[in-house]
Amino acid sequence: RKEVEQDPGPFNVPEGATVAFNCTYSNSASQSFFWYRQDCRKEPKLLMSVYSSGNEDGRFTAQLNRASQYISLLIRDSKLSDSATYLCVVLRGGGSYIPTFGRGTSLIVHP
Amino acid sequence: DAGVIQSPRHEVTEMGQEVTLRCKPISGHDYLFWYRQTMMRGLELLIYFNNNVPIDDSGMPEDRFSAKMPNASFSTLKIQPSEPRDSAVYFCASSSSGLYGYTFGSGTRLTVV
């Protein structure tokens, strides 16, 4: 099993739709989690951290399910500008701050 | 803050040549990472430094790859000799303890012909 797994997509949704991505991780000791966004031919950029209690930033909601070892990202009211690849990032546990990136999920929002 | 600065942005070189990629991390960040991204393999961690010291280079593909961090504001990734399969985008990222995310440079797009 890969350390971090994501459905590559693409998820093709109309503007205004709600879309959700999941990301599973294999190391139960993992402590910190992030979602990154990467536009075509650009560098990954931090979208949001994922907290144990779940957190929201505008139209974006991130959640963590430790029992099932996955994190999720929900995007409400999708915009054309949300089209990008979304990467989940998991920090290895045991005091390690080494990030492992998923392969990413491609989102295409169309008019 | 200028962010993480990488150079060159693009590099085209012939097989067998030496390639040197450069990175200036964000001032005050104590972790520096080198990643390689390809369509086939996604983002792969090559090596990381903590306080200028290489901690884990298990991701470096082979002896042709080497990385240095002579001071807190500069790091290099060298490939010698380069091969076509090294063609990829190479990213440098830095962080402060890693707990608050990682900032990436714009990357170097390397093409070896």
Side-chain angles (χ1 to χ4, degrees):
Chain A
R1 182 181 176 186
K2 290 182 182 177
E3 204 167 339
V4 179
E5 291 197 72
Q6 294 183 254
D7 180 345
F11 285 62
N12 205 320
V13 303
E15 271 186 293
T18 295
V19 62
F21 313 133
N22 281 346
C23 167
T24 59
Y25 60 94
S26 61
N27 187 347
S28 59
S30 299
Q31 294 294 319
S32 299
F33 310 87
F34 305 91
W35 282 103
Y36 273 69
R37 170 193 168 126
Q38 186 173 23
D39 293 290
C40 186
R41 302 180 76 83
K42 297 286 189 180
E43 72 273 22
K45 292 185 178 179
L46 179 64
L47 178 65
M48 58 196 303
S49 301
V50 184
Y51 303 126
S52 297
S53 56
N55 48 299
E56 191 173 303
D57 183 1
R59 298 181 293 108
F60 298 83
T61 299
Q63 290 193 313
L64 168 64
N65 185 316
R66 285 194 184 276
S68 300
Q69 294 184 202
Y70 74 87
I71 63 173
S72 63
L73 177 67
L74 181 79
I75 305 175
R76 291 179 298 277
D77 188 24
S78 300
K79 312 291 185 190
L80 296 177
S81 57
D82 293 334
S83 298
T85 296
Y86 291 84
L87 306 164
C88 76
V89 185
V90 176
L91 265 65
R92 301 173 193 172
S96 167
Y97 298 131
I98 309 312
T100 300
F101 283 77
R103 293 288 305 274
T105 297
S106 175
L107 172 65
I108 301 170
V109 182
H110 58 82
Chain B
D1 190 341
V4 176
I5 300 173
Q6 289 187 248
S7 65
R9 290 295 302 274
H10 302 275
E11 177 81 33
V12 180
T13 190
E14 290 185 347
M15 183 173 61
Q17 295 298 306
E18 178 179 294
V19 176
T20 299
L21 312 181
R22 298 173 176 78
C23 175
K24 176 178 167 55
I26 291 174
S27 177
H29 280 189
D30 53 354
Y31 281 82
L32 184 140
F33 304 85
W34 281 101
Y35 282 90
R36 176 171 69 176
Q37 187 174 40
T38 61
M39 289 293 291
M40 291 295 294
R41 302 171 71 93
L43 266 171
E44 300 175 276
L45 177 64
L46 300 177
I47 185 172
Y48 80 94
F49 296 82
N50 178 217
N51 292 321
N52 314 338
V53 177
I55 305 300
D56 186 346
D57 65 355
S58 59
M60 296 284 260
E62 50 200 87
D63 292 343
R64 298 184 298 107
F65 285 68
S66 62
K68 294 181 180 179
M69 191 166 186
N71 56 61
S73 59
F74 184 65
S75 177
T76 60
L77 177 68
K78 186 175 292 187
I79 308 172
Q80 166 65 14
S82 57
E83 297 182 3
R85 60 192 167 121
D86 301 331
S87 297
V89 181
Y90 291 80
F91 286 107
C92 173
S94 70
S95 74
S96 176
S97 299
L99 294 176
Y100 305 106
Y102 310 83
T103 303
F104 283 76
S106 300
T108 295
R109 186 170 296 275
L110 173 65
T111 302
V112 183
V113 298

